[in-house]
Amino acid sequence: MLSAAFDLKSGQFILLALLLMIGAFYSGTFFGNNSPVYVPQFTSNSSFYSSPSASSSGSSRFTNRVALTYRKTPLLISEFGLDVCPLEFNEYIPCHNVSYINTLRSSLDLSRREELERHCPPLEKRLFCLVPPPKDYKLPIRWPTSRDYVWRSNVNHTHLAEVKGGQNWVHEMNKLWWFPGGGTHFKHGASEYIQRLGNMTTNETGDLRSAGVVQVLDVGCGVASFSAYLLPLDIQTMSFAPKDGHENQIQFALERGIAAMISAISTKQLPYPSNSFEMVHCSRCRVDWHENDGILLKELNRLLRYNGYFVYSAPPAYRKDKDFPMIWDKLVYLTSAMCWKLIARKVQTAIWIKQENQACLLQNAEQNLFDVCDPEYDSGTSWNKPLRNCMILDTSKSDSQKLPPRPQRLSAYSVGFDALEFLGWSGTKPWMVLPCHWDFKPFLLEGICKVPISGLCIKQERFISDMIFWQEQVSHYYRLMNVNKTHIRNVMDMNAFIGGFSVALNTFPVWVMNVVPASMNNTLSAIYDRGLIGAFHDWCEPFSTYPRTYDLLHANHLFSHYQNRGEGCLLEDIMLEMDRILRPQGFIIIRENEQITSRIRDIAPKFLWEFESHSLENEQKMMDTVLIARKKFWAII
């Protein structure tokens, strides 16, 4: 255990002592001594102070200072290391900073809740300092216990417990937050609600899994209990909610170890590819679907697969007072114009299905019930694209070409739906399941590319080799990290390609946010077709999540992609964002060329990272430099 303290220098930035804690991960028991040992601050002219208790384990001086520091151009990092932001910035989210957004309100469309979307400040207004943990921060409780309990001090906000406790969102329990699994429309528990939805979608004959649901988009997810209780059905959920009056709901979800991100459906496309979800869920999600000629419903239509469901649990579905009947009538008109079919309406919930009915769509388009989008609207990546009030007519994915269920979908070569040939034979199915641990090499075909992904040709040989490669690499990674599988829950692949890294982690107790950089080809569609989840993002900007979100960040040739992209995209900018979203004692795995890894090795200590450098063979049988970095557990005292 390392500790150090510093002097205060008059006339300059306030210097405070920082505690570094390098120790084992949380012991695995429910309770544990996982807090850093704080070194008391003394007013002294000495340059270094080490408490006796710390000195027994060794002590070290480090020179990072506490100072509110903004990004400057050109970028210079002090020889003493990056500054540490003051403690009050422990929940800093650059592109969802309420103070900055308030300065923009006069230019935003408040009627459409544009203020809830991402608004990144210009570079000179972004903080360039390490975001500290809050007072009394503890290493998070491990999954699966974390589904139900998290440390109060890690998300020390009481508002949700006060206003949603009666609906069993979250309750206070001594030093913990307890999540009973309730929600606004399922206060008696998500499990019963999920079974009811299964009954409604299968005419009382099955569950959501048998209804064909593999991936769900949960709009306005609260603390994500709905998502947590879908996991036993092997249903993957992309949960999102804005940073609004429901204080820190996404932070609670992520602290629990549940996939979630900050987002809002407002004036731009959501950062997910078209035709990606079998269900969109809205339980009191506070979205006015009936307004603006149903423009937000049309965005859901873009995201839903054919024969996918829209689950709507909200007052207009069952109440007859106020203006709820008028809202319901508008919803019925708009969904009918989009050729959705209402299949169930009971117990405060209505469910529509997105029918595969091209004749209906063409007829309604001819009758001007909606405008047809031009092809450009659905091309490329769904990143920072303004919404248009139009419908995408897509005949490329039909009911006869369904993807297989999970887990078979993980290894399905499935991104094109032409008459494909697999392993030398013509199949009647548009996909071929490739068992994860089978030696494919004798069966590989040479030559013709059969599966185009947004203009990028993925040969079947490349698909198979990618899957085998990442299985091997994950084994190497865990050996090099020397960590138990249970120590890692929240994972992000920052440059995910077609999701091979995520597939290789499928048997681990983790979830993976697969990020495809917006400036790359749209391989995120392939990732969703494999039954995985993820989002588009531009790493020249901060990600839409809270600090201390992830246990492991994987960056495979990410930095080289952003080389020479200019200010805001520099290696140091991306490293700072990685540090912000990484939990204390979390890991970073970086694969890059030697020039970039050499630079990272030089400056990693200034970010208070430890690292080891290794060499691993890449897919071309050449040696890659692999850095395994670990964020130290430090705190302001």
Side-chain angles (χ1 to χ4, degrees):
M1 190 177 298
L2 305 179
S3 63
F6 294 93
D7 295 338
L8 298 176
K9 294 184 178 179
S10 59
Q12 297 185 354
F13 296 96
I14 299 175
L15 297 181
L16 296 178
L18 302 177
L19 169 72
L20 294 181
M21 179 177 179
I22 307 170
F25 261 82
Y26 189 42
S27 67
T29 56
F30 182 75
F31 293 100
N33 181 20
N34 61 8
S35 300
V37 179
Y38 288 91
V39 180
Q41 180 181 345
F42 286 83
T43 302
S44 169
N45 291 324
S46 64
S47 61
F48 175 71
Y49 170 81
S50 175
S51 69
S53 60
S55 61
S56 62
S57 301
S59 60
S60 174
R61 180 188 305 189
F62 59 99
T63 53
N64 303 70
R65 60 182 185 174
V66 176
L68 187 60
T69 307
Y70 290 87
R71 176 65 160 80
K72 295 179 180 179
T73 303
L75 177 61
L76 296 174
I77 297 179
S78 167
E79 61 179 309
F80 301 113
L82 266 76
D83 291 338
V84 172
C85 305
L87 188 59
E88 59 265 31
F89 292 90
N90 68 84
E91 292 180 355
Y92 177 60
I93 310 172
C95 298
H96 298 272
N97 185 340
V98 175
S99 297
Y100 173 70
I101 293 172
N102 283 338
T103 67
L104 307 176
R105 289 180 71 89
S106 61
S107 62
L108 301 177
D109 188 343
L110 303 183
S111 68
R112 294 179 61 187
R113 305 307 306 274
E114 190 178 1
E115 74 278 8
L116 298 179
E117 293 184 318
R118 287 173 56 86
H119 298 282
C120 300
L123 206 56
E124 67 275 10
K125 293 186 177 181
R126 294 184 202 173
L127 295 186
F128 198 82
C129 47
L130 302 176
V131 175
K135 182 181 178 182
D136 297 331
Y137 179 84
K138 299 175 176 63
L139 297 181
I141 294 169
R142 291 180 186 169
W143 183 267
T145 306
S146 63
R147 187 196 74 171
D148 301 328
Y149 301 95
V150 304
W151 296 113
R152 271 196 63 191
S153 57
N154 289 9
V155 191
N156 197 12
H157 296 278
T158 61
H159 179 69
L160 274 185
E162 293 165 358
V163 301
K164 295 295 185 180
Q167 297 167 2
N168 284 325
W169 282 36
V170 58
H171 293 287
E172 182 180 342
M173 180 183 286
N174 298 318
K175 294 183 178 181
L176 301 168
W177 291 118
W178 171 44
F179 302 88
T184 303
H185 275 270
F186 44 96
K187 66 180 180 180
H188 299 300
S191 295
E192 182 274 335
Y193 175 69
I194 288 168
Q195 183 56 55
R196 187 191 334 144
L197 298 183
N199 293 337
M200 294 172 70
T201 52
T202 62
N203 197 23
E204 309 293 330
T205 63
D207 57 19
L208 289 178
R209 182 67 185 265
S210 61
V213 177
V214 174
Q215 288 146 300
V216 173
L217 181 66
D218 192 9
V219 182
C221 62
V223 295
S225 288
F226 180 68
S227 171
Y229 285 83
L230 285 172
L231 288 175
L233 294 174
D234 198 18
I235 293 175
Q236 309 301 302
T237 306
M238 184 72 259
S239 299
F240 77 86
K243 190 173 184 291
D244 61 4
H246 282 171
E247 188 178 61
N248 296 72
Q249 53 191 327
I250 292 299
Q251 189 178 21
F252 277 114
L254 292 164
E255 186 72 15
R256 298 173 72 186
I258 302 169
M261 64 182 290
I262 301 171
S263 192
I265 182 166
S266 178
T267 70
K268 294 183 175 66
Q269 286 185 356
L270 291 169
Y272 318 117
S274 301
N275 304 305
S276 293
F277 301 96
E278 287 87 10
M279 176 180 284
V280 176
H281 176 251
C282 163
S283 175
R284 285 285 185 105
C285 61
R286 300 173 25 156
V287 175
D288 293 326
W289 303 109
H290 63 289
E291 296 287 5
N292 299 300
D293 197 29
I295 189 172
L296 301 183
L297 284 174
K298 294 180 178 70
E299 173 65 354
L300 296 192
N301 188 78
R302 179 184 73 84
L303 296 167
L304 271 175
R305 302 186 196 272
Y306 281 122
N307 299 302
Y309 305 98
F310 175 46
V311 176
Y312 181 67
S313 296
Y318 60 91
R319 286 179 57 173
K320 305 298 183 183
D321 58 332
K322 300 182 179 178
D323 58 352
F324 295 127
M326 178 271 294
I327 294 173
W328 175 257
D329 289 343
K330 281 189 175 182
L331 288 173
V332 169
Y333 171 79
L334 292 165
T335 52
S336 298
M338 295 191 302
C339 299
W340 291 7
K341 180 181 179 182
L342 181 65
I343 62 169
R345 185 189 182 191
K346 61 181 181 181
V347 196
Q348 302 185 350
T349 298
I351 301 180
W352 285 267
I353 187 169
K354 177 185 173 180
Q355 298 183 100
E356 183 193 356
N357 190 338
Q358 294 299 316
C360 173
L361 289 169
L362 292 172
Q363 179 181 348
N364 288 357
E366 289 176 0
Q367 295 177 359
N368 295 319
L369 296 183
F370 60 79
D371 293 329
V372 178
C373 302
D374 56 54
E376 180 272 333
Y377 183 62
D378 196 33
S379 64
T381 57
S382 302
W383 176 252
N384 215 25
K385 277 189 178 180
L387 287 179
R388 297 182 190 172
N389 204 342
C390 60
M391 289 272 289
I392 299 167
L393 299 186
D394 181 11
T395 60
S396 64
K397 299 197 175 186
S398 65
D399 184 51
S400 61
Q401 296 177 332
K402 279 186 177 178
L403 295 163
R406 276 178 64 100
Q408 294 93 330
R409 189 180 292 192
L410 293 167
S411 52
Y413 181 59
S414 60
V415 185
F417 290 95
D418 303 321
L420 303 180
E421 294 181 359
F422 300 96
L423 301 180
W425 57 273
S426 294
T428 57
K429 298 177 180 179
W431 48 267
M432 175 64 186
V433 175
L434 307 170
C436 288
H437 299 290
W438 184 24
D439 182 1
F440 303 105
K441 293 180 181 178
F443 300 94
L444 296 182
L445 296 179
E446 297 294 331
I448 301 174
C449 172
K450 295 291 185 181
V451 182
I453 304 175
S454 295
L456 179 67
C457 206
I458 305 295
K459 294 182 181 180
Q460 128 185 3
E461 180 178 0
R462 175 72 189 280
F463 177 85
I464 296 169
S465 66
D466 181 82
M467 190 159 58
I468 296 172
F469 173 75
W470 286 115
Q471 289 167 6
E472 296 171 347
Q473 298 310 298
V474 164
S475 177
H476 291 316
Y477 288 165
Y478 273 77
R479 173 179 56 83
L480 294 173
M481 289 188 294
N482 191 27
V483 64
N484 190 286
K485 291 180 181 180
T486 62
H487 290 171
I488 293 175
R489 173 62 184 170
N490 299 355
V491 178
M492 176 184 281
D493 193 357
M494 300 175 72
N495 185 17
F497 188 46
I498 56 173
F501 176 69
S502 181
V503 170
L505 287 168
N506 182 57
T507 59
F508 290 61
V510 305
W511 67 270
V512 182
M513 177 69 79
N514 292 280
V515 177
V516 171
S519 51
M520 290 188 174
N521 290 286
N522 173 18
T523 56
L524 194 57
S525 293
I527 288 169
Y528 271 89
D529 279 355
R530 299 182 79 174
L532 307 169
I533 59 172
F536 294 111
H537 184 65
D538 181 357
W539 286 111
C540 295
E541 300 178 0
F543 195 75
S544 289
T545 194
Y546 279 83
R548 300 171 300 281
T549 292
Y550 291 94
D551 301 297
L552 170 62
L553 302 176
H554 182 242
N556 180 37
H557 295 278
L558 175 75
F559 292 95
S560 52
H561 174 71
Y562 282 94
Q563 267 189 311
N564 306 315
R565 290 282 300 276
E567 294 293 334
C569 313
L570 301 183
L571 178 147
E572 294 86 348
D573 294 307
I574 298 174
M575 287 180 66
L576 182 68
E577 178 61 5
M578 294 168 85
D579 185 86
R580 187 185 72 86
I581 67 178
L582 188 67
R583 288 171 166 173
Q585 292 197 352
F587 289 91
I588 302 171
I589 301 174
I590 299 171
R591 299 179 79 109
E592 275 294 354
N593 61 57
E594 179 56 31
Q595 178 186 7
I596 290 176
T597 53
S598 176
R599 172 63 179 155
I600 293 173
R601 284 194 297 266
D602 288 343
I603 64 175
K606 298 183 178 183
F607 286 80
L608 301 179
W609 297 358
E610 295 182 311
F611 66 89
E612 293 179 352
S613 186
H614 303 273
S615 293
L616 292 176
E617 197 175 71
N618 61 25
E619 288 182 273
Q620 290 73 42
K621 307 303 179 183
M622 306 292 287
M623 300 308 293
D624 265 350
T625 301
V626 179
L627 292 183
I628 308 288
R630 196 174 192 185
K631 179 178 176 178
K632 295 177 181 179
F633 187 1
W634 54 267
I636 296 176
I637 58 171

